[in-house]
Structure formats: structure tokens, C-alpha cells
Amino acid sequence: MPSTVTVFGAYGHTGRFVVAELVRRGWTPILSGRNESQLHDLAAGYPGLAVRPATVDDPDALDRALAGSVAVINAAGPFGDTVPALVEAALRAGIHYVDVAAEVEVVAKTVATYQDRAAAAGIVLAPAVAFYGGLGDLLASAAVGDLPAVDEIHLAFALDSWIPTPGTRKAGVASRGRRNGKRLVYTGGELVLRDDAAPTAEWTFPAPFGKQTVVGDFTTADSVTIPSHLKTGALHSYMTPDALRDLASTDETPPQPADEFGRSAQQFLVEVVVRAGDTERRAVAAGRDIYAVTAPIVVEVLSHITSGTQAGLHTAGRIADPAEVLRALLPVHLDLLEIDGR
Ligand SMILES: NC(=O)c1ccc[n+]([C@@H]2O[C@H](COP(=O)([O-])OP(=O)(O)OC[C@H]3O[C@@H](n4cnc5c(N)ncnc54)[C@H](OP(=O)(O)O)[C@@H]3O)[C@@H](O)[C@H]2O)c1
């Protein structure tokens, strides 16, 4: 049942999509974040919604921001700066915590740090419930289905462009700082730093992307969320090169709205192939705007969490039937969804 939920980072690019989707689905968001005037500007478009400013170094203000909510959605990143304070506030309040972090090391630390405390507090703690960390995990979980273990999971992203938000740029700077010029690779069941060049591979996506030379070892939050609950011998990830060229651009113009939902024109396609012996299964989803699609993913997962998921730390693919979660995104939020055998 929709209820009251606090959105921290509510006036950010992604936070605004989250607030709009919550309202569309009948939830009552409490608008929180560190800039009071930005919160009031946002609230002007939503008469009646509460504004509760808070900063990560003020636990009392965070407690006030979370009071009366069943959950907090943390959309404020770089997440290395916000996760500890917001998770601690959720634990104090005894309410669920969901974030949209993309920073791989931060998501790995969240998983490693809070598993036991979330379970003991009787709350669900769900990191990276978003395009990265969430959609791939849902597709991989749906494709794996009833297989107890698989030999390989391949996760391939196709983006026709990637105009990053300021938050993505800052998260990139924070991640590069942590990696000391090296690249992060998931291999042998762990994340390691390497200084060799990323490999390339050929991948044939469904139309309109088709056959592409993709960059391998494109390590995302999915390299934490997927192996946190799916047994796989290997996880390989790939990205189309155009998106990486865009990401490296010095043009800081943020994504521009191009439809009635405020989505940009960016097209995405995510394809997962899992192999177990002779069995191969595939799941694919496509849609528009990786920031915008994060909102329905997080709100759909939240609705399952508040309907009675067992307490503990869970990723998007583990919280409910992943195929059901994905199908709920059709037809508005996904243009294409195919899951072998489902
Ligand atoms: N996993 C995914 O697929 C996915 C999808 C979407 C977004 N994200 C991540 O979400 C984050 C936000 O992205 P965005 O697109 O919304 O960027 P954005 O438009 O720049 O918004 C960032 C928001 O976070 C707030 N914030 C940042 N640091 C904060 C801090 N220390 N304390 C309080 N608030 C803070 C900002 O407030 P100020 O304006 O006051 O700084 C702003 O409200 C990024 O890290 C991005 O990578 C991930």
C-alpha cells in the first residue's frame, strides 16, 4: 500500500524523477536534502508535500526528515558522502532504506557492512536499486530463474548516448580518486584493480543497436548486486563505446527533457545472457533515459519491500519475483522486455 516515504536528494535530477513517480503511484513523499530553497522550489510543484531539510552531519535533522515514513530513498550522491549517515538514520528510525548508488565500491561496502544490522533491525536495506545495479540484476535474476547456479553471466549495455548529470560526474571523480588511475574489474569472485587496457569484444544486440565492438570489463554496481545472491562462475560486462566517449566529454550541459515525462532522448538496451552447461538463457530490456527509468525501478521495488520482504540486505533482483518487477515497468517505462522461458 502506498504510504509516506522520505526522498533524500529530492531536488536532484534523479530525485525529481523519483518524487514524480512516487506521486504518480499514490505515495506521499517527504522532500528532503541539504538545500532548503531548492526543496521549496520543488515543493511548489507539489502542493501539500512536506519539506524537511537535513544534512548528513546533523543526525537530529535526519531523524526529523525520516519521522513518520515507512522508508527512505537516498538519491543524493556521490554516495560515499551520504550512505553512512542515511543508513544509520534508517536504522535508528527502524524504516527501510533504498538507494540509487552507482559507485561500485560504495555499493560493495554497503553490502559488506550492513547485512547483519539490517536483519537485526527488522528493516530491508536495498542498495543500487536503479538503472545500474538494479536493472541488470533484475534481468540476470529473471534469466537465471530456477537454475541453482550458472557458469557465466554476460551483461551488455547499449546506450546511444550518455549525457551525464552533475551527480554522475562527481561520482565519477570520486570513483577515479578511489582507484588511483586504475580500472576496477570483477574477476574470480572479487573486485580487483588493474592498469592494463580494457578488452574489447563483439556483441550483437537486438535492433536498433545491432552488432557492435563493445568495451569489456565495464564494471558497474551490477558487479556487486548480481554476485551478492546469484551463484555464477563468472560475470562479464560490456558497454557500447559511443556512451563512453560521451561520458568523457568536457561539455557539462546536463541531459535535456525531450518528452512529456521529462525524459531525455537517450535510448538504452540491456541484455543478459546466462550459461549453465548447455543451457543458455537471455533477458533483454530497452527504454528511454537511464536516469528517468531509475524512478519506476526504485518505486516498484519499494512497493514490494513494504508489502513484506524478509528483513535484511537485499538487491533488486532478490526482493520479489524479478520477472514480475520487470513486467510492471511495461509499457510506460520499458519499450521492450523479453525473458527466455517466462
Ligand atoms: N545507479 C544508477 O543507475 C543511477 C541512476 C541515477 C543516478 N545515480 C546516482 O545518483 C546520484 C545523483 O544523481 P543525479 O543524476 O540526481 O545528480 P544531481 O542532479 O547532480 O543531483 C545530486 C543530488 O545529490 C545531492 N547531494 C550530493 N551530495 C550531497 C551531500 N553530501 N549531502 C546532501 N545532498 C547531496 C545534491 O544536492 P546539492 O545540489 O545541494 O549538491 C543533489 O540533490 C549520482 O551519484 C548518480 O551517479 C545512479
Side-chain angles (χ1 to χ4, degrees):
M1 278 289 282
S3 181
T4 301
V5 56
T6 300
V7 182
F8 189 75
Y11 57 83
H13 185 88
T14 307
R16 287 169 188 269
F17 282 115
V18 172
V19 169
E21 180 66 5
L22 285 166
V23 169
R24 195 182 75 83
R25 304 259 317 245
W27 291 78
T28 305
I30 291 171
L31 309 179
S32 189
R34 64 180 167 186
N35 185 319
E36 186 166 357
S37 78
Q38 292 250 44
L39 289 170
H40 282 292
D41 287 351
L42 175 62
Y46 297 100
L49 292 191
V51 166
R52 299 201 197 149
T55 57
V56 292
D57 54 3
D58 185 346
D60 292 341
L62 287 172
D63 290 349
R64 285 193 294 275
L66 271 50
S69 287
V70 296
V72 56
I73 298 174
N74 181 9
F79 285 87
D81 300 338
T82 64
V83 169
L86 268 295
V87 170
E88 291 298 338
L91 287 165
R92 283 196 300 278
I95 66 169
H96 306 301
Y97 168 93
V98 185
D99 73 37
V100 302
E103 292 152 80
V104 185
E105 295 93 333
V106 174
V107 178
K109 193 170 175 189
T110 303
V111 170
T113 309
Y114 296 110
Q115 175 75 60
D116 294 345
R117 290 184 64 199
I123 67 165
V124 174
L125 213 146
V129 182
F131 178 79
Y132 294 114
L135 185 54
D137 185 27
L138 287 161
L139 290 166
S141 303
V144 167
D146 56 2
L147 296 170
V150 297
D151 302 319
E152 297 173 353
I153 298 176
H154 297 263
L155 171 61
F157 295 94
L159 302 182
D160 69 347
S161 64
W162 186 356
I163 298 171
T165 61
T168 295
R169 287 184 186 281
K170 286 179 196 156
V173 170
S175 293
R176 282 193 291 281
R178 282 189 283 265
R179 294 171 195 175
N180 202 17
K182 301 188 178 184
R183 61 191 186 88
L184 190 66
V185 178
Y186 180 79
T187 181
E190 57 181 3
L191 292 163
V192 297
L193 288 171
R194 284 203 179 144
D195 47 18
D196 57 342
T200 58
E202 297 292 310
W203 191 277
T204 304
F205 294 97
F209 290 97
K211 188 170 181 180
Q212 302 238 3
T213 300
V214 289
V215 177
D217 293 344
F218 181 71
T219 308
T220 63
D222 303 88
S223 292
V224 177
T225 56
I226 291 173
S228 76
H229 68 108
L230 295 177
K231 286 194 174 58
T232 181
L235 170 61
H236 301 284
S237 46
Y238 316 90
M239 173 57 93
T240 47
D242 291 357
L244 297 179
R245 266 194 297 273
D246 285 356
L247 199 55
S249 164
T250 52
D251 181 353
E252 296 194 359
T253 311
Q256 300 300 310
D259 73 5
E260 72 272 28
F261 302 110
R263 299 182 300 184
S264 71
Q266 178 193 46
Q267 300 286 331
F268 68 79
L269 188 147
V270 183
E271 185 166 32
V272 171
V273 175
V274 305
R275 294 203 179 92
D278 295 336
T279 302
E280 180 175 301
R281 291 183 188 164
R282 174 178 157 277
V284 60
R288 182 168 176 164
D289 190 335
I290 65 174
Y291 298 96
V293 80
T294 289
I297 293 171
V298 78
V299 175
E300 180 61 22
V301 168
L302 178 69
S303 67
H304 285 277
I305 290 173
T306 54
S307 308
T309 305
Q310 192 184 358
L313 190 142
H314 303 298
T315 65
R318 239 197 112 182
I319 281 164
D321 176 349
E324 189 188 323
V325 174
L326 288 164
R327 277 196 290 265
L329 304 178
L330 288 168
V332 178
H333 305 294
L334 291 179
D335 304 328
L336 167 81
L337 175 66
E338 291 172 6
I339 305 167
D340 280 354
R342 301 294 292 264

